[in-house]
Amino acid sequence: MNYTAPQYLSGLISGDRKVVNAIYERFYPKVRTFILQNKGKEDDVQDVFQDALMYLITKQKEKPLILQSFEAYLFTICKNVWRRTLKKEKNKVTNKDAPTLVDKETDLSLFFMEQERLDFYLEKFRLLSENCREILSSYFNGFSYEEMVKELSYATVNTVRQRVFKCKAKMIQLMKSDKRYTNLRS
Amino acid sequence: MSEEKDIARQEQIRAYILETLSLKERADFEKRMLLDETLKEEVALERSLLTHMNEEDWELMDVEENKERLNELRTALRSEENTALSDMIREVGTEYRTRTSKPVRKNFFYAVAASIAILVSVTSYFMFKQTTLETYYAEYANWTEIPSFVEKDQGLNAMAKGEVLYKDHQFQETADYFKEYLQTATEEHRPFVLMYLGAAYTELKQYESALNAFELLTKTNTIASSRGYWYQLLIYLKLEQKEKVQEILAVILLDVDNYNHSKALELQEKLK
């Protein structure tokens, strides 16, 4: 059975088994492939999928989501839950900023807040010019100035430095002028 | 402050975060942070952006950050309603995994069963009498027993349309229709599309295409996948391909939950 995004969401919050089953049948295989290809195991897939669905339920109950594609949104949330799991694992191994042991609901609430912060950053990022988005995307993903000169066809390193500075300043200004900023960065 | 100075300050912050400063530079920078609250905030924000906006990374928050929001979310998640939803989702997930993990096990056994079947078929090759297999085909083949979309209330008008064509014996039209439909069929619909497609090809005597469709059916990771083996068996009976009949029979007999397991057992006895 094919459902629309609002039907999936209302089916989820009303606990409609048929809808939940359709979500598993339709979307679980793609998430499974992604996680298994990114250092995960079968049990991880189940946990990630469960957390992502609970995230959607909580989010939808707070404020109804307007989604163009349920599949794309669910997949992004699953990917982020998995990014987070890998980060926690990494911190455990390196013993760097080892996360405090917390119960399941606290952990999912923390993910919720982290996702909110990311959504806020992305919202402001999307308001930038295409050129700024391109250069900052490289900057945030760890490219050096020299690599950016080559990849983005800039004349000199100095031009890249100035562009990064200006674009980042613009993004920060957009963030700080939003009243949600204080709450998200407290 | 000039723009160049601002840029240099930002770069030093980044270098501090990426740990590329020398020990002395690092110590000096940390001393400055103790005295300069603005610098400390700038470092925190830059770290947050560099981590959270990096697609390979994730910024973890601490329980001490924004306790009010944390409590609000935690309370919502612990509510009776959400706990019940969480339990239901886990239950559906477990059912789904149980249902779909079975064919994987079968695929593993398939290889083993196939090798055994080859050995068995070599020794029993001459035990089959000529024309016997097609007789069995006539006995077992029933291409009208494919699940109906209408009866099963799949709510699929598009699927039901193909079913009507099939029931009207318009097999070429059925095949064309479902071949097209297969391109966009959901995971849930795919097995049914493949059943009708394979059955239509069988009726059209296009056995190779039918076998392909049923082979795809066995790989759908759904409860209907084992039907694929049974339908393949029917075609091999029709084609009187004795070795293949033995191979597929061996696969069906591996699991009592397989579609028509008892009929396969019965057929195996008859073939002895």
Side-chain angles (χ1 to χ4, degrees):
Chain A
M1 177 84 192
N2 262 332
Y3 297 97
T4 60
Q7 283 171 329
Y8 277 125
L9 290 167
S10 64
L12 264 178
I13 58 169
S14 64
D16 185 335
R17 277 186 95 97
K18 219 168 137 191
V19 172
V20 176
N21 194 47
I23 290 173
Y24 268 93
E25 290 281 353
R26 186 115 197 253
F27 310 117
Y28 191 89
K30 190 176 166 188
V31 173
R32 179 176 175 270
T33 306
F34 170 77
I35 291 175
L36 296 185
Q37 283 172 353
N38 286 279
K39 306 174 196 169
K41 299 196 179 87
E42 289 287 352
D43 287 347
D44 296 323
V45 188
Q46 170 71 2
D47 290 344
V48 166
F49 209 73
Q50 170 87 16
D51 282 354
L53 294 183
M54 285 313 294
Y55 171 87
L56 255 63
I57 288 171
T58 319
K59 187 93 184 153
Q60 173 72 4
K61 280 185 178 173
E62 276 201 339
K63 188 183 172 197
L65 290 157
I66 299 158
L67 303 180
Q68 282 185 336
S69 159
F70 179 83
E71 179 174 12
Y73 189 75
L74 175 64
F75 191 65
T76 302
I77 297 301
C78 286
K79 258 176 37 177
N80 289 346
V81 172
W82 186 237
R83 266 167 81 183
R84 180 176 198 270
T85 308
L86 290 178
K87 179 65 182 253
K88 283 199 297 182
E89 286 301 313
K90 193 178 157 198
N91 282 2
K92 236 189 261 174
V93 174
T94 56
N95 209 15
K96 187 178 163 189
D97 302 325
T100 328
L101 279 178
V102 292
D103 60 82
K104 190 125 194 58
E105 289 84 10
T106 305
D107 201 42
L108 190 52
S109 302
L110 285 169
F111 168 74
F112 204 101
M113 290 158 66
E114 290 154 7
Q115 181 64 45
E116 274 177 348
R117 183 181 278 182
L118 179 63
D119 287 340
F120 179 75
Y121 288 172
L122 289 171
E123 182 188 311
K124 302 305 168 195
F125 178 78
R126 287 187 191 114
L127 294 174
L128 301 172
S129 68
E130 198 185 331
N131 169 272
C132 272
R133 290 201 305 270
E134 187 179 53
I135 202 159
L136 281 188
S137 180
S138 302
Y139 175 80
F140 291 141
N141 282 291
F143 284 82
S144 68
Y145 290 144
E146 289 75 13
E147 284 168 323
M148 283 189 252
V149 169
K150 270 191 204 162
E151 289 296 316
L152 309 174
S153 310
Y154 274 91
T156 63
V157 163
N158 209 33
T159 328
V160 172
R161 289 174 71 230
Q162 285 168 350
R163 282 306 293 160
V164 166
F165 177 75
K166 281 189 177 142
C167 293
K168 192 149 58 84
K170 176 73 187 163
M171 183 170 162
I172 291 172
Q173 183 227 320
L174 286 168
M175 285 162 53
K176 288 187 174 171
S177 58
D178 190 312
K179 58 181 182 203
R180 290 172 295 164
Y181 178 77
T182 323
N183 276 338
L184 287 163
R185 291 242 19 105
S186 60
Chain B
M1 213 186 284
S2 72
E3 186 177 287
E4 187 49 47
K5 268 193 180 167
D6 282 340
I7 295 177
R9 180 182 165 96
Q10 286 297 312
E11 284 172 352
Q12 202 179 23
I13 292 173
R14 193 186 191 209
Y16 171 73
I17 294 166
L18 299 178
E19 298 180 4
T20 54
L21 292 177
S22 70
L23 278 178
K24 184 173 182 319
E25 284 170 332
R26 188 173 180 81
D28 288 348
F29 189 87
E30 283 175 350
K31 253 187 230 163
R32 271 173 56 210
M33 264 205 298
L34 285 175
L35 304 168
D36 187 346
E37 196 59 33
T38 314
L39 178 63
K40 205 173 146 188
E41 276 171 28
E42 280 178 74
V43 171
L45 181 55
E46 180 75 9
R47 193 192 292 280
S48 176
L49 286 170
L50 284 174
T51 316
H52 228 23
M53 294 292 285
N54 183 331
E55 286 159 23
E56 305 287 314
D57 209 340
W58 186 265
E59 187 190 22
L60 295 169
M61 284 173 78
D62 191 83
V63 281
E64 295 303 315
E65 276 185 77
N66 206 343
K67 279 186 174 173
E68 201 183 322
R69 178 76 177 130
L70 182 68
N71 282 334
E72 192 179 85
L73 288 163
R74 204 164 29 197
T75 309
L77 284 166
R78 283 178 183 158
S79 70
E80 216 171 289
E81 196 185 326
N82 277 345
T83 309
L85 279 174
S86 176
D87 290 346
M88 184 273 286
I89 291 171
R90 194 163 286 282
E91 212 176 284
V92 172
T94 308
E95 282 167 16
Y96 170 81
R97 292 214 299 168
T98 314
R99 208 163 59 228
T100 54
S101 62
K102 202 188 278 176
V104 176
R105 187 161 55 88
K106 271 183 213 152
N107 288 342
F108 167 72
F109 281 114
Y110 185 89
V112 181
S115 12
I116 297 168
I118 288 165
L119 286 174
V120 173
S121 64
V122 169
T123 51
S124 59
Y125 184 83
F126 297 104
M127 291 169 74
F128 291 108
K129 287 176 197 156
Q130 200 65 23
T131 72
T132 305
L133 296 181
E134 195 170 356
T135 317
Y136 289 130
Y137 172 82
E139 186 181 339
Y140 287 104
N142 180 3
W143 296 104
T144 55
E145 57 163 12
I146 298 175
S148 164
F149 307 122
V150 182
E151 284 169 22
K152 296 232 173 239
D153 191 23
Q154 300 281 333
L156 312 162
N157 290 337
M159 300 278 283
K161 192 181 159 194
E163 184 186 337
V164 169
L165 287 172
Y166 181 81
K167 288 191 170 148
D168 276 355
H169 290 210
Q170 298 182 52
F171 300 123
Q172 189 57 56
E173 288 78 0
T174 310
D176 292 343
Y177 183 81
F178 279 119
K179 198 176 158 191
E180 176 80 24
Y181 194 90
L182 188 63
Q183 309 301 318
T184 52
T186 61
E187 293 288 318
E188 193 186 4
H189 303 163
R190 206 174 148 77
F192 299 101
V193 174
L194 289 166
M195 277 182 226
Y196 274 93
L197 189 58
Y201 280 134
T202 307
E203 298 286 3
L204 292 165
K205 300 192 172 34
Q206 295 176 24
Y207 299 119
E208 203 173 319
S209 302
L211 284 169
N212 282 339
F214 295 138
E215 177 67 21
L216 289 174
L217 175 59
T218 65
K219 294 190 162 75
T220 54
N221 276 3
T222 61
I223 203 157
S225 66
S226 72
R227 281 177 177 257
Y229 296 118
W230 176 255
Y231 298 141
Q232 282 180 325
L233 177 73
L234 292 177
I235 293 177
Y236 287 128
L237 283 172
K238 175 83 182 163
L239 296 174
E240 302 206 335
Q241 291 191 17
K242 306 167 187 79
E243 287 179 24
K244 286 288 185 185
V245 166
Q246 291 282 26
E247 267 182 42
I248 302 286
L249 264 180
V251 174
I252 298 174
L253 293 173
L254 277 172
D255 191 334
V256 287
D257 288 338
N258 275 338
Y259 182 67
N260 278 352
H261 179 271
S262 55
K263 282 188 182 171
L265 204 62
E266 184 186 290
L267 179 61
Q268 193 194 38
E269 284 304 306
K270 289 178 182 173
L271 293 175
K272 273 183 184 169

